[in-house]
Amino acid sequence: MTKRLHRFKGGVDLDYHKAESAGVPIRSAPLPPRLIVPLRQNARSVAHGIVTAGEHVLKGQRIGEAEGVLGTAVHAPTSGTVIEVTEHPMAHPSGLDTHCVVIEPDGDERWVALEPLDHRSIDRQSALNRLREAGVVGLGGAAFPSHVKLGSGTGVDTVVINGAECEPWITCDDRLMRERADQILAGAAILSDLIGAKRVLVGIEDNKPEAIAAMRAAAAAQAAPIEIVAIPTVYPAGGEKQLIRVLTGIEIPHGRLGTDFGVQCFNVGTAAAVHRAFALGEPLVSRIVTLAGNVERPGNYEVLIGTPVASLLELAEPRADTDRYILGGPMMGFALPDLSVPVIKGTNCVLSASPTLFPRSKPPLPCIRCGECARACPAELQPFELYWFAHSRNFGKAQEYHLFDCIECGCCSYVCPSHIPLVDYYRYAKSEIWARERETRAADGARERFEFRNFRQEREKAEKAAKLAAKAAETKAKLAQTETAPAPAPTEAAPQSEDDAKRALIAAALERAKQQKAAAKPKNTEDLSAATLAEIAEIEARRKALGLSEGDAGDVRPALPTLPGPTTAATPPAPPGGDPEPLAREDRP
Amino acid sequence: MIQSPYIRKPASVQRVMFTVLLALTPGIAAYVWQVGAGILVNLAIASATAVAAEALVRRLRGRPIAPAIGDLSALVTAWLVVLCFPPIVPWWVTVVAVTLAIAAVKHLYGGLGQNPFNPAMVAYCAMIVAFPSLMSQWPPAGGLDFATQLDLILGGARNLDAITGATALDALRTGLRGAESVDAILRQPPFGTLGGRGWEWIAAGYLAGGLLLLALRVITWHMPVAFLATLAATAGAFWLANPAQFASPLFHLASGGAMLAAFFIVTDPVSGATTPLGKIIFAAGIGLIAYLIRAFGAFPEGIAFAVLLMNLCVPLIDMKTQPRVFGHRRGKSP
Amino acid sequence: MLTALLIMAAIALVLGAALGFASIRFKVVGDPLVEKIDAILPQTQCGQCGYPGCKPYAQAIANGEADINQCPPGGEEGIRKLADLLGREFKPLSEEFGVEKPKAVARIDEQTCIGCTLCIQACPVDAIVGAAKQMHTVVEPLCTGCELCVAPCPVDCITMEPVAETVETWKWKYPVIEIRKRA
């Protein structure tokens, strides 16, 4: 209880508005008429769909198989019928489509056979596999697969459980801690076992005294060494790196994992989901979502993954002047381009925004380099410098000034007296840099393949020439042996006869091709209507009139390099995989 | 479309600038009390000129005028220009200086936030080079009534050696040239307990305003502390070495524009360094150069030149003093 | 007079020797300029510039034989980068060589494909797989969109399809700020 806390630099004090939605217990959201379950649960991986339209699924039945390193399984959130597997907008700032399984609930909520499992009874890898198969991902927002975060299971001595919940308005973790502290702590103990940690630290911002009390009460009943730590309320104390810094003093740089530094962080919701995956055998099919902002009835709901945001909003009754809906909190969330998008595992809050609650920002003024942003930046960056570079599209310089250490917490934009949308510039610069890196990689690959192809063609040409030379020498020797005396000029006859032989070969090949063509029947000539048959007959007649016959059709095409004309026969013929370059270039206008 | 964050602190450039203007008022009040109300006339002239110049230049540049006037930054520049000038300088000097500061120094580089040099300091340097005699006629505290001051400002006859004099720094310098000792000089009429008679109170007013800015977190401690400390330390070193030739550090802190500069001029964010260490280096550099000019240079007051010289170094200072980023080890930046 | 001449001659000798030494000591193997230009070019290998690939075009630019505005896939940005690298003036893309188009990839209509292998031979980056008389297909991530396979196809079954934006390739837009409302 007397833990020495560390501090991270920067951060801002906000108006938290937590009381509005934190007072009401978690309720279950009613079943929507349709559930749209995206097979893509985060930006990095898509599950492989294994159900088809018309199939009946049970609650918790696997509908998407985990694919790739960062993949996790996707499950049917309720029992019902798969209506279709289709493209549907996803909860992403782009509003782009992704593969979704649309399920019509049958209302029974019938579970598949669940198999509870004690993680201590199986080996570590199987336990990680269970998490992957149960679709457990980080519920804090990024939806990063938990089994990947558990890493190799060595070198980590501290598990940090993130109950800070620093974004204003959001109270889903708060309610979860108040009501299901046991589940969270049980999950934390499992995570701690799996990662081989010696202690568990739960960080909770001190503006949630009820949650701290509930967690402490639950921790007192636990045998495991779990410490509940109240941390000062400063946004963004709930950022993973910031929380780890506050609790342990360890700073994790960009691009490194906590496991490298002996500490790993999980959200409280994730811990609860881990507990359910083992103790109940339940895959992750629902989560708690805060509905708040400009609404009549704010509160927290247990929501099935795939519930469309629009049907969820009805529960909270947004007020008439609501003009936007924000997924996530006001600092890091994004305005929903489309209300039909479904709730996904990373969805923690749907905020109704009104012009009075979230005023449209004033037109930006020039940066006066006042340094407010640098004082607020929890990553200790110089945001105005980054802004300057991103603004002028000087991406190299932006990277040099550690653009990618920016966690996009929004503190700099929040404090900027010039109202510059700083974070927007960083997002823009980051995605431009990523796009450029993709392009460079693609170009490098293309260059490599192009160069290899040229090399291969050269090699083939050389091999062919060598082979021909050898053959010519052989023929020459043979001719010299058989027709010793009477041949007047054997040196000249050799290539002649070679040409003839080749011509005969080509003629035979042509003949074969023609026969095959005649034998091959187009596939689409069966079961035709009378009208179509008549049309075909008419076309055939016209073709006849023009002097084209069925078999000739192929000859209209440009000559294949495998059938060189007689004029090219004197030069070594192109190899079968021959050099298309001259052909390609001639074809260009 | 602007994305998150959707909430913003109720901060604005206008609010920052207004706070700065507010923080200047104790100093101005002391000025009026000790020297006379002539300064208010100059402030009015300068303010009007600044607004007019800002509007005109923005109009020529095809930019919207209203937000730029509303942000009050032009007024801050204008007030600083006036507070650096002698209070009885003719009106046209003020007009030329403010126009130069706004139109040339600020807008030729792209307007607010873009100027590499402190506009008020460029204006001061230009004027002291162009009109050296006008720029060094300072009334002694309480030596001129308002009517005389107004008459002088409006261009009245200027044969006033009898009633106008030099600043404390100027007098010290002239006295030292005359081979008098510091002690003897400081007993002469223009000097008070610490610096120039009466001017000490004005410096105290600026100090009070500066502390207000610090309390409101408009400025950070780095620059004022580094500037004043360096100025005092340098002065102290020379004073200890030879008290007969060099004035005490307290005299230097209380004289000339030291207090005004420490809190209002050195701290200009646009043309100054921005990193914590950079701010200290920048302000310390100004303190050092200012003292060297005061003690050995051709001008009695060196702060303005020092500021401009250090403005030149800002890009280098900022580049070399980038702070450690979260999670990165110090000195291991790529 | 003579001393002066001797000194000048000595200086010339020393400097000349230094230059000569430097040219041997710091001799650059290969032509980094060509590599640098090639790194900017999009590696489409489409030949629209009039050279049989990006590298030959890079060589031609380095030799001063070709201008920097002959690469339609590289577009305006590519020309800007080349202009930056070579210290030349930016000039718009020459219409003679084509126009900038959104990135597209080739798609083979598998119903129509007769398996003639012509497109496989035409593809400069080995992005088409298939065998004689077998259906061919384009490996989409490898396709550079050079369009060289379109013309040789005897049955016109290859079309160029613009690349759709996905969640992976989606980009945040440049923040649009309404500051330049003209007075």
Side-chain angles (χ1 to χ4, degrees):
Chain A
M1 303 286 151
T2 54
K3 197 174 156 45
R4 200 175 70 84
L5 291 180
H6 302 260
R7 248 193 72 76
F8 62 91
K9 282 193 185 153
V12 290
D13 285 322
L14 300 172
D15 207 354
Y16 284 94
H17 296 269
K18 297 255 189 195
E20 295 158 27
S21 56
V24 199
I26 301 167
R27 288 158 286 181
S28 273
L31 270 179
R34 291 247 164 122
L35 285 162
I36 303 151
V37 188
L39 289 170
R40 176 192 288 281
Q41 293 282 350
N42 64 30
R44 301 180 196 86
S45 70
V46 186
H48 172 65
I50 51 170
V51 287
T52 48
E55 214 170 301
H56 187 267
V57 290
L58 291 174
K59 181 167 181 152
Q61 182 181 331
R62 197 134 46 90
I63 56 174
E65 223 155 317
E67 242 180 27
V69 187
L70 295 177
T72 48
V74 177
H75 304 82
T78 184
S79 57
T81 316
V82 176
I83 307 239
E84 55 180 343
V85 180
T86 181
E87 295 286 309
H88 193 273
M90 72 177 283
H92 186 264
S94 66
L96 285 169
D97 287 355
T98 189
H99 257 345
C100 295
V101 177
V102 184
I103 297 173
E104 192 172 68
D106 58 13
D108 295 343
E109 289 268 72
R110 206 140 48 80
W111 279 94
V112 286
L114 299 176
E115 297 162 21
L117 189 67
D118 187 346
H119 68 280
R120 279 162 298 199
S121 67
I122 51 175
D123 67 285
R124 191 169 175 280
Q125 199 51 50
S126 319
L128 296 193
N129 223 29
R130 151 126 328 195
L131 290 180
R132 175 176 151 107
E133 289 309 312
V136 179
V137 296
L139 296 184
F144 194 82
S146 301
H147 69 275
V148 180
K149 262 189 147 180
L150 284 170
S152 62
T154 51
V156 174
D157 63 13
T158 307
V159 165
V160 169
I161 301 294
N162 188 347
E165 196 165 60
C166 57
E167 275 248 25
W169 273 283
I170 307 180
T171 55
C172 60
D173 291 349
D174 186 1
R175 281 309 320 181
L176 187 78
M177 288 188 284
R178 290 193 208 183
E179 296 179 31
R180 302 179 194 169
D182 291 338
Q183 291 189 15
I184 296 169
L185 295 181
I190 299 173
L191 286 168
S192 169
D193 279 355
L194 289 178
I195 210 164
K198 292 185 200 70
R199 58 169 184 169
V200 177
L201 299 176
V202 184
I204 306 170
E205 276 193 348
D206 56 15
N207 63 355
K208 292 180 266 292
E210 295 92 340
I212 295 171
M215 292 288 280
R216 283 204 170 132
Q222 283 258 344
I226 293 181
E227 196 178 339
I228 313 294
V229 188
I231 58 166
T233 303
V234 183
Y235 179 85
E240 188 173 284
K241 292 176 181 186
Q242 279 66 36
L243 183 65
I244 291 175
R245 160 99 189 128
V246 167
L247 290 177
T248 68
I250 296 169
E251 288 190 6
I252 298 164
H254 166 72
R256 300 285 295 278
L257 293 172
T259 42
D260 298 344
F261 295 84
V263 55
Q264 191 55 287
C265 179
F266 297 91
N267 176 264
V268 284
T270 317
V274 168
H275 162 74
R276 290 164 85 113
F278 283 105
L280 308 175
E282 274 180 27
L284 182 54
V285 290
S286 67
R287 67 156 296 139
I288 296 162
V289 178
T290 304
L291 300 180
N294 192 37
V295 293
E296 294 293 345
R297 300 173 54 207
N300 285 286
Y301 290 87
E302 173 108 36
V303 181
L304 296 179
I305 305 301
T307 306
V309 167
S311 61
L312 199 56
L313 281 170
E314 291 164 13
L315 302 172
E317 296 166 25
R319 297 200 184 105
D321 60 338
T322 301
D323 61 342
R324 284 167 298 170
Y325 294 94
I326 293 161
L327 208 66
M331 294 298 282
M332 294 184 73
F334 57 89
L336 279 174
D338 184 344
L339 284 189
S340 71
V341 302
V343 166
I344 54 174
K345 289 174 185 172
T347 308
N348 49 11
C349 177
V350 182
L351 268 183
S352 301
S354 69
T356 40
L357 203 56
F358 300 145
R360 297 272 174 178
S361 69
K362 291 177 206 129
L365 288 170
C367 170
I368 54 167
R369 292 159 47 93
C370 64
E372 271 299 317
C373 48
R375 261 168 275 160
C377 181
E380 299 168 43
L381 297 163
Q382 299 280 301
F384 56 91
E385 303 273 15
L386 290 175
Y387 156 70
W388 188 246
F389 297 132
H391 176 78
S392 54
R393 297 181 171 83
N394 189 348
F395 300 126
K397 210 75 177 138
Q399 264 179 291
E400 221 172 276
Y401 278 71
H402 304 285
L403 173 66
F404 283 98
D405 283 273
C406 165
I407 56 170
E408 298 177 27
C409 64
C411 288
C412 50
S413 298
Y414 176 79
V415 299
C416 180
S418 289
H419 312 295
I420 300 169
L422 293 156
V423 186
D424 286 11
Y425 281 96
Y426 311 147
R427 293 191 187 111
Y428 158 75
K430 285 183 184 178
S431 60
E432 277 301 318
I433 292 169
W434 283 322
R436 266 153 221 235
E437 278 173 4
R438 273 198 304 276
E439 270 165 34
T440 315
R441 266 200 303 278
D444 287 347
R447 183 189 297 118
E448 217 166 87
R449 292 196 307 283
F450 177 65
E451 278 165 6
F452 177 69
R453 174 178 169 276
N454 287 352
F455 160 75
R456 189 185 64 219
Q457 283 174 352
E458 288 300 318
R459 190 187 61 197
E460 277 168 3
K461 223 183 255 173
E463 282 171 359
K464 201 86 192 171
K467 219 185 259 172
L468 269 176
K471 210 169 196 179
E474 200 182 304
T475 325
K476 198 166 142 191
K478 232 181 243 168
L479 279 173
Q481 266 179 10
T482 48
E483 301 169 35
T484 30
T491 37
E492 277 168 32
Q496 200 63 44
S497 61
E498 197 191 326
D499 273 5
D500 284 344
K502 206 159 276 161
R503 251 188 225 131
L505 264 175
I506 291 165
L510 269 173
E511 195 52 43
R512 260 205 314 279
K514 232 174 218 169
Q515 276 167 9
Q516 271 168 8
K517 232 168 250 163
K521 267 194 188 143
K523 277 188 183 161
N524 56 352
T525 50
E526 286 155 40
D527 301 331
L528 296 174
S529 70
T532 322
L533 283 173
E535 205 179 326
I536 292 171
E538 195 189 321
I539 292 165
E540 285 302 326
R542 248 186 297 150
R543 285 166 64 96
K544 278 240 169 67
L546 284 167
L548 292 161
S549 72
E550 184 95 43
D552 289 343
D555 296 346
V556 185
R557 302 170 193 156
L560 295 166
T562 39
L563 305 173
T567 44
T568 59
T571 59
D579 181 7
E581 288 276 324
L583 185 107
R585 231 169 290 133
E586 279 154 26
D587 279 359
R588 217 172 30 245
Chain B
M1 167 115 163
I2 303 296
Q3 301 286 341
S4 63
Y6 296 97
I7 46 176
R8 278 167 181 282
K9 195 176 177 176
S12 65
V13 173
Q14 185 184 10
R15 198 180 281 224
V16 172
M17 296 296 171
F18 182 75
T19 316
V20 174
L21 292 180
L22 195 72
L24 279 170
T25 48
I28 295 172
Y31 210 124
V32 173
W33 168 43
Q34 287 294 326
V35 181
I39 190 78
L40 296 179
V41 180
N42 273 347
L43 283 175
I45 295 172
S47 303
T49 313
V51 170
E54 180 84 32
L56 180 73
V57 177
R58 292 196 68 93
R59 200 189 164 81
L60 289 174
R61 292 179 64 202
R63 304 293 167 92
I65 296 169
I69 304 292
D71 70 25
L72 303 179
S73 66
L75 283 189
V76 172
T77 306
W79 285 26
L80 290 176
V81 167
V82 169
L83 294 177
C84 299
F85 281 20
I88 49 165
V89 76
W91 63 271
W92 52 267
V93 175
T94 309
V95 169
V96 170
V98 172
T99 311
L100 176 78
I102 301 284
V105 185
K106 187 164 131 189
H107 277 288
L108 283 192
Y109 288 99
L112 180 65
Q114 315 278 323
N115 46 296
F117 297 103
N118 187 319
M121 291 303 100
V122 174
Y124 177 86
C125 292
M127 292 305 115
I128 204 161
V129 170
F131 311 108
S133 69
L134 286 178
M135 288 292 289
S136 45
Q137 288 171 341
W138 293 77
L144 290 178
D145 58 19
F146 179 65
T148 322
Q149 288 189 5
L150 191 64
D151 182 49
L152 288 170
I153 290 167
L154 295 180
R158 202 152 261 282
N159 196 0
L160 291 160
D161 285 346
I163 42 172
T164 66
T167 60
L169 284 170
D170 213 356
L172 175 68
R173 166 185 203 78
T174 322
L176 286 172
R177 290 248 171 86
E180 295 173 69
S181 82
V182 170
D183 271 351
I185 301 166
L186 290 188
R187 276 193 294 275
Q188 290 169 2
F191 297 98
T193 329
L194 293 173
R197 175 163 305 171
W199 294 94
E200 305 142 322
W201 288 106
I202 299 171
Y206 292 140
L207 176 65
L211 293 177
L212 175 73
L213 287 185
L214 275 174
L216 294 177
R217 301 184 54 137
V218 172
I219 57 172
T220 56
W221 60 268
H222 305 82
M223 288 200 184
V225 169
F227 169 74
L228 294 175
T230 317
L231 184 64
T234 326
F238 281 96
W239 176 63
L240 285 176
N242 187 355
Q245 274 295 307
F246 299 99
S248 75
L250 269 179
F251 172 82
H252 275 285
L253 290 184
S255 306
M259 282 298 159
L260 179 67
F263 295 100
F264 297 94
I265 292 170
V266 175
T267 53
D268 170 36
V270 174
S271 57
T274 50
T275 63
L277 180 62
K279 282 178 180 173
I280 292 175
I281 296 175
F282 173 78
I286 295 174
L288 179 68
I289 299 174
Y291 179 79
L292 293 179
I293 294 178
R294 276 182 179 187
F296 307 103
F299 292 91
E301 177 57 296
I303 293 178
F305 293 101
V307 167
L308 296 188
L309 285 173
M310 288 313 287
N311 281 164
L312 278 174
C313 307
V314 162
L316 181 71
I317 294 174
D318 273 350
M319 195 178 78
K320 291 292 170 201
T321 58
Q322 281 300 309
R324 184 198 75 108
V325 171
F326 183 94
H328 292 259
R329 230 165 271 139
R330 196 174 287 281
K332 237 186 85 179
S333 72
Chain C
M1 177 69 190
L2 188 68
T3 339
L5 273 177
L6 280 175
I7 288 170
M8 291 307 285
I11 289 174
L13 261 175
V14 169
L15 287 180
L19 281 174
F21 173 73
S23 76
I24 296 161
R25 175 71 179 75
F26 303 109
K27 189 174 168 67
V28 187
V29 186
D31 195 344
L33 186 58
V34 175
E35 299 294 330
K36 275 187 197 151
I37 298 173
D38 195 40
I40 291 172
L41 296 175
Q43 304 304 320
T44 336
Q45 317 293 359
C46 60
Q48 288 182 75
C49 50
Y51 294 87
C54 296
K55 191 77 171 277
Y57 177 44
Q59 187 73 54
I61 294 177
N63 293 349
E65 292 157 15
D67 212 335
I68 56 172
N69 61 348
Q70 303 184 0
C71 176
E76 202 188 296
E77 204 194 320
I79 299 172
R80 273 191 204 288
K81 282 192 193 156
L82 285 175
D84 263 4
L85 175 70
L86 301 168
R88 294 199 207 158
E89 203 62 37
F90 167 81
K91 46 176 94 174
L93 182 68
S94 169
E95 296 272 319
E96 191 189 323
F97 299 94
V99 286
E100 196 177 345
K101 282 186 262 187
K103 175 149 167 47
V105 291
R107 157 144 328 144
I108 293 177
D109 178 0
E110 298 175 347
Q111 296 305 308
T112 323
C113 174
I114 55 168
C116 68
T117 76
L118 281 180
C119 57
I120 297 180
Q121 292 160 40
C123 179
V125 290
D126 289 340
I128 305 180
V129 290
K133 293 188 201 132
Q134 309 293 316
M135 178 194 81
H136 302 344
T137 195
V138 178
V139 185
E140 232 175 78
L142 302 187
C143 176
T144 63
C146 67
E147 302 188 11
L148 288 181
C149 55
V150 176
C153 180
V155 290
D156 288 340
C157 72
I158 305 182
T159 46
M160 297 306 294
E161 306 216 336
V163 182
E165 204 171 35
T166 67
V167 178
E168 281 100 345
T169 59
W170 178 80
K171 292 195 279 187
W172 287 94
K173 306 293 172 286
Y174 192 79
V176 181
I177 296 169
E178 58 280 22
I179 195 168
R180 284 180 186 237
K181 248 183 275 157
R182 296 251 153 197

